[in-house]
Amino acid sequence: MRRLVSLTALALAPTVALAESHAAATPVEYGPRPAYLVDKLPEGDLKTKLASCIGQDASKSDFSIGHRGAPLMFPEHTKQSNVAAARMGAGILECDVTFTADHELVCRHAQNDLHTTTNILVSDLAEKCTTGFTPASGDTPASAECRASDLTLAEFRTLTPKMDSADKTATTAEDYQGGVAPFRTQLYSDKADLMTHKESIELFKSLGAKFTPELKSPSVEMPHDGFSQEDYAQKLIDEYKEAGIPASDVWAQSFNLDDVLYWIEAEPEFGKQAVYLVEWSDGFDEQDPETWNEDFASLKEQGVNYLAPSLNMLLTNKDGALAASDYAKAAKEADLELIAWTLERSGPLGSGGGWYFQSVSDVIKDDSDYLVALDVLAQDAGVVGVFSDWPATTTFYANCMGL
């Protein structure tokens, strides 16, 4: 069995670590979606296996990672979104970390997303935005840019979160609040609560979950009023240490390799599980090493143990079927632990799956391919965890397969 547990824990007490990863502090249930996806699968071994697990008792799994909570239906990075993810069995939850004007850490996918994830443009704080609302005109879409760093923490706390969206045809700030993707919903948006990073630690701990904070790239020039990139990276770790969270329960992430190397050097216990995030870039071919930006052997030599590529980097079309890419196989051969992102973020897969499935768009048929992709990632690519916008699907698969 594979599970996203600390290298130290695996070495010292694998039986205890595996047992603890299923210690359910929160009741877990799948809801109807996993069975719905199983029903859509074509007849075959995968459908037979997964169908046999419908009705099984649900339990938490570290293989299942809540991506910003459960943002398929809940406003991302809110208390309610993460409680929902934990109730779907996500053993690890994510806070994307950025900072306010007074350098307090908060959970936001980007430092400059407040105009799409909160009500700031229709609040008294709109005048503080880096760029105020500009209505659509002719072929020019409506626009705005509001940053967490435009506000103090006290001001940030007054905002109301919403589903991440913007109506680019809007001529008023009120209409700009719309534009929610049709495969999402606003049923669960009422009175959601924003979180600081510290509050996310407290919440996730109370839910019996582990932690995967991502240090987001600042939208402001660094250092920011004396706050350096190293200060930023260190403050993230310090908040876990202050809360008494063991390093073995934390997978700190960054797309910036320098952040990962900083943690490896300055905080070696946390650095053992630091995650280097990478994504598909122009010219990349998952089957052609000449197009890859990562030197896997060099990363390993520098102390990087975890690599988290986007789904499209790990999947390929082999004889008309989903398969593990050469990129995934080479990373595993270099002894890197792989984490995949992000399942169920693309919306309905009938049209090819969009950005996340661009390497296999010609073999994607419908939403049941989310389960096929999971099976390839787990069984062939050997990933140890999968981020999902609806963790119940990943939890169901992991429970059924004994991951």
Side-chain angles (χ1 to χ4, degrees):
M1 293 193 299
R2 289 182 295 269
R3 198 172 299 283
L4 190 53
V5 295
S6 82
L7 300 178
T8 302
L10 281 173
L12 298 179
T15 303
V16 173
L18 291 173
E20 288 179 348
S21 69
H22 272 288
T26 303
V28 176
E29 58 183 7
Y30 301 131
R33 184 160 175 78
Y36 165 78
L37 296 179
V38 172
D39 289 343
K40 293 173 73 70
L41 280 170
E43 297 301 323
D45 291 343
L46 181 60
K47 181 169 186 173
T48 298
K49 173 60 178 175
L50 294 179
S52 73
C53 296
I54 294 174
Q56 69 178 356
D57 290 337
S59 59
K60 182 180 61 172
S61 172
D62 290 348
F63 184 83
S64 180
I65 307 172
H67 178 244
R68 315 183 206 175
L72 187 64
M73 291 192 179
F74 293 80
E76 64 185 42
H77 288 311
T78 60
K79 174 182 177 180
Q80 290 75 11
S81 186
N82 282 285
V83 169
R87 288 173 176 165
M88 296 179 206
I92 301 173
L93 298 174
E94 179 188 44
C95 169
D96 287 330
V97 177
T98 189
F99 59 85
T100 60
D102 44 355
H103 302 148
E104 295 298 329
L105 303 186
V106 296
C107 299
R108 289 290 89 198
H109 177 60
Q111 191 167 50
N112 61 340
D113 74 357
L114 295 184
H115 52 288
T116 63
T117 62
T118 75
N119 70 331
I120 189 171
L121 289 176
V122 293
S123 77
D124 293 339
L125 294 171
E127 63 185 20
K128 293 207 164 192
C129 290
T130 295
T131 306
F133 174 72
T134 301
S137 177
D139 294 332
T140 304
S143 64
E145 184 183 5
C146 305
R147 302 174 177 176
S149 54
D150 293 333
L151 309 178
T152 65
L153 177 59
E155 290 168 332
F156 173 84
R157 288 186 182 280
T158 69
L159 298 175
T160 299
K162 69 180 189 69
M163 294 299 284
D164 186 8
S165 67
D167 183 348
K168 297 299 183 66
T169 68
T171 57
T172 67
E174 288 75 15
D175 287 344
Y176 191 75
Q177 306 303 294
V180 177
F183 58 86
R184 296 197 171 100
T185 180
Q186 299 186 73
L187 285 174
Y188 308 106
S189 297
D190 186 46
K191 296 181 180 178
D193 299 300
L194 297 171
M195 294 190 300
T196 66
H197 180 234
K198 287 182 179 179
E199 288 166 347
S200 79
I201 295 172
E202 181 180 357
L203 176 66
F204 299 174
K205 182 179 179 180
S206 75
L207 294 170
K210 297 174 185 176
F211 313 83
T212 186
E214 180 187 337
L215 197 74
K216 302 303 295 189
S217 298
S219 298
V220 295
E221 186 176 349
M222 299 293 278
H224 179 260
D225 294 339
F227 189 60
S228 70
Q229 185 70 24
E230 291 77 14
D231 294 335
Y232 180 30
Q234 186 61 51
K235 186 165 185 174
L236 180 146
I237 299 299
D238 286 345
E239 293 193 348
Y240 288 95
K241 294 166 73 174
E242 291 165 6
I245 304 299
S248 58
D249 284 353
V250 181
W251 288 264
Q253 316 168 72
S254 181
F255 279 99
N256 182 353
L257 180 58
D258 287 342
D259 293 336
V260 175
L261 297 179
Y262 172 82
W263 290 323
I264 291 170
E265 176 67 25
E267 293 286 351
E269 289 305 305
F270 286 89
K272 290 176 185 176
Q273 295 187 168
V275 181
Y276 180 35
L277 292 154
V278 294
E279 63 183 334
W280 184 288
S281 58
D282 290 344
F284 177 85
D285 183 332
E286 75 282 0
Q287 299 297 93
D288 181 3
E290 295 297 319
T291 69
W292 304 347
N293 293 324
E294 290 71 50
D295 182 332
F296 301 134
S298 175
L299 289 174
K300 192 68 181 179
E301 288 173 3
Q302 294 176 85
V304 178
N305 292 312
Y306 287 88
L307 183 71
S310 49
L311 287 179
N312 41 33
M313 302 175 77
L314 301 176
L315 299 171
T316 196
N317 175 355
K318 182 179 181 181
D319 300 326
L322 287 172
S325 67
D326 285 350
Y327 181 94
K329 294 175 182 177
K332 285 301 297 179
E333 288 174 3
D335 198 29
L336 290 168
E337 300 283 6
L338 294 176
I339 301 170
W341 56 274
T342 298
L343 202 74
E344 296 191 84
R345 187 153 187 86
S346 299
L349 297 186
S351 59
W355 187 87
Y356 286 89
F357 288 88
Q358 61 187 291
S359 60
V360 290
S361 59
D362 49 349
V363 292
I364 293 293
K365 302 178 294 299
D366 58 44
D367 280 10
S368 68
D369 282 317
Y370 279 128
L371 292 173
V372 179
L374 263 180
D375 198 50
V376 170
L377 292 168
Q379 307 303 331
D380 299 334
V383 303
V384 296
V386 177
F387 281 91
S388 178
D389 274 20
W390 200 246
T393 302
T394 309
T395 304
F396 169 79
Y397 175 85
N399 286 175
C400 188
M401 296 298 184
L403 299 177

